[in-house]
Short mmCIF file of all heavy atoms in Angstrom, two decimals:
data_model
loop_
_atom_site.label_atom_id
_atom_site.label_comp_id
_atom_site.label_asym_id
_atom_site.label_seq_id
_atom_site.Cartn_x
_atom_site.Cartn_y
_atom_site.Cartn_z
N MET R 56 110.76 88.09 85.99
CA MET R 56 109.42 87.59 85.75
C MET R 56 108.48 88.78 85.68
O MET R 56 108.47 89.63 86.54
CB MET R 56 108.98 86.66 86.89
CG MET R 56 107.55 86.24 86.74
SD MET R 56 106.78 85.40 88.16
CE MET R 56 108.02 84.38 88.80
N LYS R 57 107.65 88.80 84.64
CA LYS R 57 106.64 89.85 84.54
C LYS R 57 105.56 89.57 85.56
O LYS R 57 105.23 88.43 85.84
CB LYS R 57 105.99 89.84 83.16
CG LYS R 57 106.79 90.51 82.11
CD LYS R 57 105.95 90.58 80.84
CE LYS R 57 106.69 91.25 79.74
NZ LYS R 57 105.93 91.25 78.50
N LYS R 58 104.98 90.63 86.06
CA LYS R 58 103.86 90.48 86.97
C LYS R 58 102.58 90.80 86.22
O LYS R 58 102.54 91.74 85.44
CB LYS R 58 103.99 91.41 88.17
CG LYS R 58 105.14 91.04 89.07
CD LYS R 58 105.16 91.94 90.27
CE LYS R 58 106.32 91.58 91.16
NZ LYS R 58 106.35 92.38 92.36
N LEU R 59 101.56 90.01 86.45
CA LEU R 59 100.26 90.32 85.90
C LEU R 59 99.66 91.42 86.74
O LEU R 59 99.88 91.49 87.93
CB LEU R 59 99.36 89.08 85.93
CG LEU R 59 99.88 87.89 85.15
CD1 LEU R 59 98.92 86.73 85.30
CD2 LEU R 59 100.08 88.22 83.70
N ILE R 76 98.99 86.55 89.72
CA ILE R 76 98.47 85.24 89.37
C ILE R 76 98.38 84.32 90.59
O ILE R 76 97.72 83.31 90.57
CB ILE R 76 99.33 84.60 88.25
CG1 ILE R 76 98.53 83.57 87.50
CG2 ILE R 76 100.62 84.05 88.79
CD1 ILE R 76 99.07 83.26 86.16
N GLN R 103 108.97 70.17 88.32
CA GLN R 103 108.91 70.66 86.94
C GLN R 103 107.52 70.35 86.41
O GLN R 103 106.99 69.26 86.63
CB GLN R 103 109.98 69.97 86.09
CG GLN R 103 111.39 70.38 86.44
CD GLN R 103 111.63 71.86 86.16
OE1 GLN R 103 111.24 72.38 85.13
NE2 GLN R 103 112.24 72.54 87.11
N VAL R 104 106.95 71.30 85.74
CA VAL R 104 105.61 71.12 85.20
C VAL R 104 105.64 71.32 83.69
O VAL R 104 106.55 71.95 83.16
CB VAL R 104 104.60 72.10 85.84
CG1 VAL R 104 104.42 71.79 87.31
CG2 VAL R 104 105.03 73.53 85.66
N ARG R 105 104.65 70.80 83.06
CA ARG R 105 104.59 70.89 81.61
C ARG R 105 104.35 72.32 81.17
O ARG R 105 103.83 73.14 81.93
CB ARG R 105 103.51 69.96 81.06
CG ARG R 105 102.09 70.39 81.34
CD ARG R 105 101.10 69.35 80.83
NE ARG R 105 99.74 69.74 81.11
CZ ARG R 105 98.86 70.13 80.19
NH1 ARG R 105 99.21 70.14 78.92
NH2 ARG R 105 97.65 70.47 80.53
N SER R 106 104.74 72.60 79.95
CA SER R 106 104.53 73.94 79.41
C SER R 106 103.74 73.90 78.11
O SER R 106 103.48 74.92 77.51
CB SER R 106 105.88 74.62 79.16
OG SER R 106 106.63 73.90 78.21
N ASN R 107 103.34 72.70 77.71
CA ASN R 107 102.65 72.54 76.43
C ASN R 107 101.13 72.55 76.58
O ASN R 107 100.44 71.64 76.15
CB ASN R 107 103.11 71.26 75.75
CG ASN R 107 102.81 70.02 76.57
OD1 ASN R 107 102.60 70.09 77.77
ND2 ASN R 107 102.78 68.87 75.92
N PHE R 108 100.62 73.62 77.15
CA PHE R 108 99.17 73.76 77.29
C PHE R 108 98.58 74.17 75.96
O PHE R 108 99.19 74.92 75.20
CB PHE R 108 98.83 74.81 78.36
CG PHE R 108 99.28 74.43 79.72
CD1 PHE R 108 100.47 74.93 80.24
CD2 PHE R 108 98.55 73.56 80.51
CE1 PHE R 108 100.91 74.59 81.51
CE2 PHE R 108 98.97 73.20 81.77
CZ PHE R 108 100.16 73.72 82.27
N LEU R 113 94.93 77.69 78.00
CA LEU R 113 95.47 78.98 78.44
C LEU R 113 94.41 80.07 78.37
O LEU R 113 94.37 80.95 79.23
CB LEU R 113 96.71 79.35 77.62
CG LEU R 113 97.93 78.45 77.85
CD1 LEU R 113 99.08 78.89 76.96
CD2 LEU R 113 98.35 78.41 79.31
N GLU R 204 98.72 73.83 88.22
CA GLU R 204 99.71 73.44 87.21
C GLU R 204 100.06 74.61 86.28
O GLU R 204 101.23 74.85 85.98
CB GLU R 204 99.18 72.26 86.39
CG GLU R 204 100.19 71.69 85.43
CD GLU R 204 99.67 70.46 84.70
OE1 GLU R 204 98.44 70.33 84.50
OE2 GLU R 204 100.52 69.65 84.31
N ILE R 205 99.06 75.37 85.87
CA ILE R 205 99.32 76.52 84.99
C ILE R 205 100.04 77.63 85.75
O ILE R 205 100.95 78.27 85.20
CB ILE R 205 98.01 77.02 84.33
CG1 ILE R 205 97.48 75.93 83.37
CG2 ILE R 205 98.25 78.31 83.56
CD1 ILE R 205 96.11 76.22 82.77
N VAL R 206 99.70 77.86 87.01
CA VAL R 206 100.40 78.86 87.82
C VAL R 206 101.88 78.49 87.94
O VAL R 206 102.76 79.34 87.74
CB VAL R 206 99.77 79.01 89.22
CG1 VAL R 206 100.67 79.78 90.16
CG2 VAL R 206 98.41 79.68 89.12
N LEU R 207 102.16 77.24 88.25
CA LEU R 207 103.56 76.80 88.37
C LEU R 207 104.28 76.91 87.03
O LEU R 207 105.44 77.33 86.98
CB LEU R 207 103.63 75.37 88.91
CG LEU R 207 103.22 75.19 90.36
CD1 LEU R 207 103.17 73.72 90.74
CD2 LEU R 207 104.14 75.95 91.29
N SER R 208 103.60 76.57 85.97
CA SER R 208 104.20 76.68 84.64
C SER R 208 104.47 78.14 84.30
O SER R 208 105.49 78.47 83.69
CB SER R 208 103.27 76.05 83.59
OG SER R 208 103.88 76.04 82.33
N TYR R 209 103.57 79.02 84.68
CA TYR R 209 103.76 80.46 84.48
C TYR R 209 105.04 80.91 85.17
O TYR R 209 105.80 81.71 84.63
CB TYR R 209 102.55 81.22 85.02
CG TYR R 209 102.67 82.72 84.89
CD1 TYR R 209 102.20 83.38 83.76
CD2 TYR R 209 103.25 83.49 85.90
CE1 TYR R 209 102.30 84.76 83.64
CE2 TYR R 209 103.36 84.86 85.78
CZ TYR R 209 102.89 85.49 84.66
OH TYR R 209 103.01 86.85 84.54
N GLN R 210 105.29 80.40 86.36
CA GLN R 210 106.47 80.78 87.12
C GLN R 210 107.76 80.22 86.52
O GLN R 210 108.81 80.85 86.61
CB GLN R 210 106.35 80.29 88.57
CG GLN R 210 105.27 80.99 89.35
CD GLN R 210 105.09 80.36 90.72
OE1 GLN R 210 105.32 79.18 90.92
NE2 GLN R 210 104.68 81.17 91.68
N GLN R 211 107.68 79.04 85.93
CA GLN R 211 108.88 78.34 85.48
C GLN R 211 109.19 78.51 83.99
O GLN R 211 110.33 78.30 83.59
CB GLN R 211 108.76 76.85 85.78
CG GLN R 211 108.75 76.52 87.24
CD GLN R 211 108.62 75.03 87.50
OE1 GLN R 211 108.71 74.22 86.60
NE2 GLN R 211 108.40 74.67 88.76
N HIS R 212 108.21 78.84 83.19
CA HIS R 212 108.39 78.84 81.74
C HIS R 212 108.05 80.20 81.13
O HIS R 212 106.89 80.57 81.05
CB HIS R 212 107.52 77.75 81.09
CG HIS R 212 107.82 76.37 81.58
ND1 HIS R 212 108.95 75.69 81.21
CD2 HIS R 212 107.14 75.56 82.43
CE1 HIS R 212 108.95 74.50 81.79
NE2 HIS R 212 107.87 74.40 82.55
N PRO R 213 109.06 80.92 80.68
CA PRO R 213 108.82 82.24 80.08
C PRO R 213 107.84 82.22 78.91
O PRO R 213 107.08 83.17 78.73
CB PRO R 213 110.22 82.69 79.63
CG PRO R 213 111.16 81.91 80.47
CD PRO R 213 110.48 80.60 80.75
N GLU R 214 107.83 81.14 78.15
CA GLU R 214 106.91 81.09 77.02
C GLU R 214 105.45 81.01 77.47
O GLU R 214 104.57 81.59 76.83
CB GLU R 214 107.26 79.93 76.05
CG GLU R 214 107.05 78.53 76.61
CD GLU R 214 108.21 77.97 77.44
OE1 GLU R 214 109.14 78.72 77.78
OE2 GLU R 214 108.16 76.77 77.77
N VAL R 215 105.19 80.32 78.57
CA VAL R 215 103.83 80.27 79.12
C VAL R 215 103.47 81.64 79.68
O VAL R 215 102.37 82.14 79.46
CB VAL R 215 103.70 79.17 80.20
CG1 VAL R 215 102.35 79.23 80.90
CG2 VAL R 215 103.93 77.79 79.59
N GLN R 216 104.41 82.24 80.35
CA GLN R 216 104.23 83.59 80.89
C GLN R 216 103.86 84.56 79.77
O GLN R 216 102.92 85.35 79.90
CB GLN R 216 105.55 84.01 81.54
CG GLN R 216 105.44 84.93 82.70
CD GLN R 216 106.81 85.17 83.27
OE1 GLN R 216 107.50 86.06 82.80
NE2 GLN R 216 107.21 84.40 84.27
N GLU R 217 104.59 84.50 78.69
CA GLU R 217 104.36 85.39 77.56
C GLU R 217 102.98 85.17 76.94
O GLU R 217 102.26 86.13 76.64
CB GLU R 217 105.45 85.17 76.51
CG GLU R 217 105.42 86.17 75.38
CD GLU R 217 106.58 85.95 74.42
OE1 GLU R 217 107.74 85.84 74.89
OE2 GLU R 217 106.32 85.87 73.21
N LYS R 218 102.59 83.91 76.77
CA LYS R 218 101.28 83.60 76.18
C LYS R 218 100.14 84.12 77.06
O LYS R 218 99.20 84.72 76.58
CB LYS R 218 101.12 82.10 75.96
CG LYS R 218 101.92 81.55 74.82
CD LYS R 218 101.72 80.04 74.71
CE LYS R 218 102.63 79.42 73.67
NZ LYS R 218 102.47 77.95 73.61
N ILE R 219 100.25 83.87 78.37
CA ILE R 219 99.20 84.31 79.28
C ILE R 219 99.14 85.84 79.33
O ILE R 219 98.06 86.43 79.28
CB ILE R 219 99.39 83.69 80.69
CG1 ILE R 219 99.12 82.20 80.63
CG2 ILE R 219 98.46 84.37 81.71
CD1 ILE R 219 99.46 81.45 81.91
N ASN R 220 100.30 86.47 79.43
CA ASN R 220 100.31 87.95 79.44
C ASN R 220 99.70 88.52 78.17
O ASN R 220 98.95 89.50 78.23
CB ASN R 220 101.73 88.46 79.64
CG ASN R 220 102.25 88.24 81.04
OD1 ASN R 220 101.48 87.97 81.96
ND2 ASN R 220 103.55 88.32 81.21
N SER R 221 99.98 87.90 77.04
CA SER R 221 99.40 88.36 75.77
C SER R 221 97.88 88.22 75.76
O SER R 221 97.17 89.11 75.31
CB SER R 221 99.99 87.59 74.59
OG SER R 221 101.36 87.88 74.44
N LEU R 222 97.42 87.08 76.25
CA LEU R 222 95.97 86.88 76.31
C LEU R 222 95.30 87.91 77.21
O LEU R 222 94.24 88.43 76.88
CB LEU R 222 95.66 85.46 76.84
CG LEU R 222 95.97 84.32 75.88
CD1 LEU R 222 95.87 82.97 76.62
CD2 LEU R 222 95.03 84.34 74.68
N GLU R 224 96.46 90.92 77.97
CA GLU R 224 96.54 92.25 77.34
C GLU R 224 95.45 92.42 76.29
O GLU R 224 94.89 93.50 76.15
CB GLU R 224 97.91 92.45 76.72
CG GLU R 224 98.99 92.72 77.74
CD GLU R 224 100.39 92.80 77.14
OE1 GLU R 224 100.52 92.98 75.92
OE2 GLU R 224 101.35 92.69 77.92
#
Side-chain angles (χ1 to χ4, degrees):
M56 174 192 322
K57 280 187 180 177
K58 292 184 181 182
L59 300 178
I76 204 160
Q103 291 296 316
V104 294
R105 71 184 179 110
S106 62
N107 61 340
F108 296 98
L113 293 178
E204 186 176 28
I205 294 173
V206 166
L207 291 173
S208 185
Y209 178 91
Q210 292 174 330
Q211 294 179 10
H212 301 286
E214 67 275 11
V215 172
Q216 211 176 86
E217 188 176 310
K218 287 179 186 177
I219 291 172
N220 288 344
S221 294
L222 289 169
E224 285 175 18

